[in-house]
Amino acid sequence: MRCNPLLLLPPLLLAGCATTAGAPPAEPLLYAQTFTAERPRDVRTLVIVLNGDGMPAARADEAAFARTAAAAIPDSAAVALLRPGYADTAGNRSPGSRGFDAGDNYTLEHITAVGDAVAALQARYPSAQIVLVGESGGAVIAANLAAMRPELLDGIVLVGCPCTLPEWRDYMERRMPGEPWETPVSSLDPLKTAGGIASDLRAAVIVGAEDEVTPVRFSRAYAEALTLRGVATDYRILPGKGHKILNDPEVLAATGRLAASLPVGS
């Protein structure tokens, strides 16, 4: 597996090794770690992984999933992309405000920042089909981005998604009284933006049967909405599993199946 050097690719910082070239652009950068054994022009599948909510130790390891995906999916590259304001276990951080992790940072501003980063990667890997994998809050961002900028994505994999946002925030308010769940937010609800999803998008929606953070019903409602739009959707409930399932073999397998199902040259 070759680790790409640090590259400044406005508005994205592709990272993973030790050197930086060029002056920082005026626009904010999102931190990304890239894993690939391929040259950019030879990459046929680009897997971009968005982290979940919370501090690094409290969420699944998005870089571990990206590393595994790059090794498992033929002719691929995988990028662990940190959402605005989030850090990884090594202390790398994307600029911006993380907010309170109370469903308050799935905003147009954050979705735009992620979308611009995806567009920069799309330009870097012009022959690649793009699969966006999001865990928890990252899944909300992925779903909204697929609806708002459908030209960027060929597939999405949503893992433990709080995809019916108002209902999920009500649930969390009851589960965690005293936290800012009742505070009004400007976050976008994937169930309401789903009308923008392209019918030829491929999707996988995966949730743990014992998930107490984003229970099954929040994923099921969104999977049903996709199906009604004619979107080919692989919906799976993992028996006995909780919320931190990003690195479960079933999620990797679903990502691989989705990548293999994409039409050549789409």
Side-chain angles (χ1 to χ4, degrees):
M1 181 67 59
R2 185 172 68 241
C3 179
N4 283 350
L6 287 171
L7 298 172
L8 288 176
L9 184 56
L12 175 72
L13 179 61
L14 292 178
C17 294
T19 59
T20 305
E27 298 181 39
L29 304 170
L30 296 183
Y31 184 87
Q33 192 171 5
T34 302
F35 302 92
T36 186
E38 306 292 336
R39 295 172 296 184
R41 66 177 179 270
D42 296 329
V43 170
R44 295 295 176 262
T45 302
L46 177 64
V47 178
I48 304 173
V49 190
L50 294 179
N51 62 280
D53 293 346
M55 300 296 287
R59 65 179 194 254
D61 187 341
E62 62 278 351
F65 182 84
R67 183 184 298 109
T68 304
I73 297 173
D75 303 320
S76 71
V79 175
L81 183 65
L82 288 177
R83 292 158 50 200
Y86 284 86
D88 62 16
T89 54
N92 303 301
R93 180 182 301 274
S94 283
S97 172
R98 195 182 92 203
F100 298 103
D101 282 330
D104 58 314
N105 62 14
Y106 318 143
T107 61
L108 179 60
E109 178 184 6
H110 283 217
I111 295 164
T112 297
V114 172
D116 289 346
V118 172
L121 284 164
Q122 186 183 57
R124 176 166 173 77
Y125 297 95
S127 300
Q129 299 169 111
I130 298 180
V131 178
L132 186 59
V133 180
E135 186 218 4
S136 192
V140 176
I141 298 288
N144 281 320
L145 182 62
M148 298 169 67
R149 297 178 70 176
E151 76 282 358
L152 292 179
L153 304 176
D154 299 288
I156 54 174
V157 179
L158 309 181
V159 183
C161 185
C163 275
T164 59
L165 190 59
E167 292 79 6
W168 175 67
R169 296 190 78 236
D170 288 344
Y171 163 79
M172 291 300 289
E173 182 182 354
R174 295 190 298 272
R175 188 169 182 263
M176 301 177 65
E179 298 295 325
W181 295 100
E182 76 286 352
T183 303
V185 297
S186 57
S187 294
L188 301 183
D189 179 9
L191 204 58
K192 293 182 179 177
T193 64
I197 296 284
S199 61
D200 60 350
L201 183 80
R202 304 297 173 91
V205 180
I206 307 167
V207 62
E210 308 302 324
D211 190 338
E212 296 183 354
V213 178
T214 58
V216 168
R217 63 184 180 272
F218 302 121
S219 289
R220 180 189 295 121
Y222 190 72
E224 290 172 349
L226 291 180
T227 301
L228 287 172
R229 286 198 54 76
V231 175
T233 303
D234 180 7
Y235 172 55
R236 293 176 185 263
I237 302 172
L238 305 189
K241 299 299 176 66
H243 185 61
K244 290 174 64 173
I245 59 170
L246 177 63
N247 287 295
D248 189 281
E250 289 289 342
V251 176
L252 178 64
T255 304
R257 285 193 300 271
L258 189 151
S261 74
L262 294 172
V264 176
S266 68

